[in-house]
Amino acid sequence: MKEVENHTAEVRNHIIRTLLYYDIFNYPLKSEEVFRFLGINHVDHSFIVSQLNSLSGEKFIYRFGEFFTVQNNETNVIRRQKGNAEAERCLSIAQRQARLINRFPFVRAVMASGSLSKGYMDEKSDLDFFIVTHPGRLWIARMLLVMYKRIFLFNSHKYFCVNYFVDTEHLEIEEKNMFTATELATVIPLQGAEYYTKLHSQNPWLKNFFPNYISRPIDNVPPASSGWVKSFCEKLITALGGAWLDKYFMNMTLGRWQKIYGGKYAQPDFQVAFKSKSYASKNHPKHYQRKVTDIYQQKVDEFTQKMNKTAAA
């Protein structure tokens, strides 16, 4: 009996932790979403539903129709529904952009990340893309895409935000925390289906955070491909000194980031927010990873204190 009680308490704790993470973004969850992003396994969906209802009955969380949240605020449900509808509209735009990005030299796969991958878009959201490149040519691919955005899109980020690159030989995500696990679990494959599969197979640690998670279907996602124009450009760039160019663009970009942002962050934070390695590039000036993980820990601590006080009363 005691063992069952302990298991139930642990499940309830993980349910609340899951809701707290998405509460950072004022985003209520459905029961199946709670189950998918739960930090514990050996449970089924029906048990999660029963515990969600129990927690809402005890006023630890709140239910509005099919949505659950730690806030007693139905406005967030309406906001989510509106954002979900906008995300559906933007997905077709992302697919068109992904086809364009895939035509650039050395690009091997394109995935949607950020807000769209969570199924939410609003007037402040950008279309963020996670891009996989050929080894040793990541910075060339990045420079070509950035130049295209600056020249032809007037540096607009709204529908063309290319801020995270890795190459095909380094698909393991180095930072392993709740933020990166959520980003990895929610990316939407748009081009290069096989690299989406490899991305997940090379990050088995994801199951430590979300043991009930199942990757997205890839039946309708095109495999990596290179037309003759793309292949010709890749061979030409390589013949003209591809390795030297790639290193040059990496050092040039890193120097620019250090000049603009170097004084705003401690060195460890700078290295994460502006990752600049031969096999990876990240440009996150607002360093959401650190901000979100800090807020999440604060929310968990505050809610734990609230539950302890209630139990002691």
Side-chain angles (χ1 to χ4, degrees):
M1 188 67 179
K2 187 67 174 177
E3 185 176 332
V4 173
E5 290 178 359
N6 289 340
H7 177 68
T8 300
E10 186 178 11
V11 171
R12 286 161 63 94
N13 179 52
H14 278 284
I15 287 173
I16 291 171
R17 282 174 172 266
T18 302
L19 292 173
L20 285 174
Y21 185 84
Y22 281 88
D23 186 60
I24 297 172
F25 313 100
N26 297 311
Y27 196 80
L29 295 178
K30 299 177 182 180
S31 62
E32 57 267 28
E33 293 167 336
V34 174
F35 174 74
R36 187 182 312 138
F37 296 107
L38 202 67
I40 187 174
N41 57 4
H42 304 303
V43 293
D44 56 33
H45 179 242
S46 61
F47 185 66
I48 298 304
V49 171
S50 70
Q51 294 308 310
L52 282 166
N53 289 330
S54 177
L55 286 165
S56 62
E58 298 169 39
K59 301 301 180 184
F60 283 120
I61 64 174
Y62 301 90
R63 178 174 184 171
F64 300 98
E66 63 180 335
F67 298 99
F68 296 88
T69 173
V70 295
Q71 292 188 46
N72 188 13
N73 184 357
E74 192 172 7
T75 303
N76 287 333
V77 173
I78 299 170
R79 173 181 173 274
R80 169 182 165 155
Q81 291 171 326
K82 183 179 178 181
N84 291 163
E86 179 65 7
E88 285 188 26
R89 184 187 74 84
C90 288
L91 182 57
S92 61
I93 299 174
Q95 289 169 332
R96 290 198 300 271
Q97 297 289 50
R99 287 194 290 270
L100 171 64
I101 293 170
N102 189 57
R103 294 192 183 105
F104 277 71
F106 306 114
V107 171
R108 298 294 179 260
V110 185
M111 305 174 207
S113 59
S115 297
L116 180 62
S117 69
K118 316 300 182 299
Y120 178 88
M121 292 287 287
D122 60 25
E123 64 280 357
K124 297 180 181 179
S125 303
D126 297 329
L127 281 183
D128 296 306
F129 294 98
F130 177 85
I131 298 170
V132 180
T133 74
H134 184 74
R137 300 293 183 267
L138 182 151
W139 290 91
I140 294 175
R142 185 188 183 283
M143 182 58 68
L144 291 171
L145 286 164
V146 169
M147 287 174 62
Y148 170 82
K149 182 182 70 172
R150 289 179 180 173
I151 296 171
F152 295 100
L153 303 180
F154 305 103
N155 209 32
S156 172
H157 294 264
K158 184 65 179 176
Y159 297 118
F160 201 88
C161 191
V162 288
N163 57 13
Y164 200 167
F165 295 75
V166 296
D167 74 31
T168 58
E169 294 182 354
H170 298 85
L171 294 174
E172 182 181 359
I173 304 302
E174 293 178 331
E175 299 85 21
K176 298 173 176 60
N177 52 52
M178 187 70 166
F179 179 87
T180 55
T182 301
E183 295 304 301
L184 178 59
T186 56
V187 290
I188 303 173
L190 300 173
Q191 295 284 322
E194 64 269 44
Y195 289 108
Y196 174 78
T197 301
K198 290 179 180 178
L199 177 68
H200 284 81
S201 67
Q202 294 188 27
N203 287 278
W205 61 268
L206 177 61
K207 286 289 187 177
N208 295 333
F209 286 87
F210 308 130
N212 306 308
Y213 165 76
I214 299 175
S215 60
R216 296 181 186 270
I218 57 172
D219 296 344
N220 298 319
V221 180
S225 61
S226 294
W228 71 268
V229 174
K230 181 175 177 178
S231 296
F232 174 79
C233 290
E234 290 180 355
K235 291 176 182 178
L236 179 61
I237 292 170
T238 297
L240 293 174
W244 180 88
L245 275 174
D246 201 74
K247 188 173 182 179
Y248 173 79
F249 287 142
M250 180 182 73
N251 291 334
M252 182 184 72
T253 305
L254 177 57
R256 179 174 178 271
W257 288 344
Q258 286 176 330
K259 183 177 180 180
I260 298 173
Y261 304 106
K264 299 179 181 180
Y265 294 98
Q267 191 61 22
D269 286 333
F270 180 87
Q271 290 175 350
V272 172
F274 300 93
K275 178 171 285 189
S276 302
K277 298 185 178 182
S278 61
Y279 56 83
S281 169
K282 190 193 303 183
N283 177 16
H284 292 166
K286 295 183 180 180
H287 199 6
Y288 280 123
Q289 181 177 156
R290 175 64 180 272
K291 186 179 297 185
V292 169
T293 52
D294 286 350
I295 293 173
Y296 175 60
Q297 188 58 55
Q298 180 181 348
K299 282 181 171 288
V300 169
D301 291 342
E302 290 174 352
F303 212 94
T304 300
Q305 292 178 6
K306 175 183 175 181
M307 293 192 73
N308 289 340
K309 288 181 180 178
T310 302

